[in-house]
Amino acid sequence: MLQKKIMWLFCAALLAIWPLFATAQITLDDAIARALAQSPRLQAFGSGVAVARSEQKQAGTWANPEISVEAENIAGNGAYSRLNSAEVTYGISQQFQLGGKISARKTIAGKGLEIARLEYQAAALDVIKEVTIAYAELIAAEENVRLATEQKQLADEVLRSVNL
């Protein structure tokens, strides 16, 4: 709902500054191109695509190895005081994925990327639809102004002819 309000606000701003473009006669294609380039909603969906792309890349990697250190018999009493009798164990471990888990993660991440791209395309089509509607309303409003101007001129002519 908030996104729709933002788009209507964008369209209202476009209508408000329309006189600045009156000499340039902005086309529907130009309006759509500007909206697609400047839409915060599309930028958010574009970020979602980038995240999905990164998740797909990460899905094909192995887990990081882990290093561990254990110490026993430290800070005790008598013979075990300080570090005199300390036993320190160092270790490294690596998790190995078996049974096609990496390929399954890659497949799932690929589907996530596909979904993110489709959501981006759907949002782009929504922006195009909303800009097209606003543009059509703008053209209709311009035509109404033109007709009202013609009616005023006709009324002025009738008034002049009646006053003679």
Side-chain angles (χ1 to χ4, degrees):
M1 187 68 179
L2 177 64
Q3 295 163 342
K4 191 170 186 177
K5 288 181 182 178
I6 290 172
M7 183 50 69
W8 282 111
L9 182 61
F10 170 75
C11 293
L14 183 63
L15 289 173
I17 62 171
W18 186 256
L20 298 175
F21 298 111
T23 57
Q25 287 298 321
I26 188 169
T27 65
L28 176 59
D29 291 337
D30 292 339
I32 289 172
R34 287 182 186 183
L36 290 175
Q38 298 174 359
S39 172
R41 182 171 43 166
L42 281 182
Q43 291 173 358
F45 279 103
S47 297
V49 170
V51 166
R53 203 175 285 126
S54 298
E55 287 174 350
Q56 184 182 32
K57 183 179 178 182
Q58 184 66 33
T61 61
W62 289 89
N64 289 331
E66 295 179 7
I67 297 175
S68 62
V69 177
E70 293 180 19
E72 296 179 6
N73 300 330
I74 60 170
N77 293 328
Y80 300 106
S81 65
R82 297 189 218 143
L83 298 175
N84 294 340
S85 302
E87 296 176 14
V88 180
T89 306
Y90 302 96
I92 185 167
S93 63
Q94 172 70 44
Q95 182 181 21
F96 293 100
Q97 299 283 329
L98 302 175
K101 289 183 181 179
I102 290 179
S103 62
R105 281 197 326 245
K106 284 175 148 179
T107 301
I108 291 170
K111 296 299 180 186
L113 178 59
E114 186 178 335
I115 289 169
R117 286 180 177 155
L118 290 172
E119 287 175 343
Y120 179 86
Q121 290 174 355
L125 291 173
D126 283 344
V127 168
I128 291 170
K129 177 190 78 163
E130 291 168 0
V131 169
T132 303
I133 290 170
Y135 189 83
E137 290 174 353
L138 174 69
I139 298 300
E142 282 182 338
E143 186 63 20
N144 287 339
V145 168
R146 188 188 65 76
L147 289 173
T149 303
E150 282 182 18
Q151 288 176 347
K152 182 187 176 298
Q153 289 171 349
L154 286 173
D156 287 343
E157 290 176 17
V158 168
L159 180 63
R160 268 186 259 129
S161 66
V162 169
N163 283 340
L164 292 176

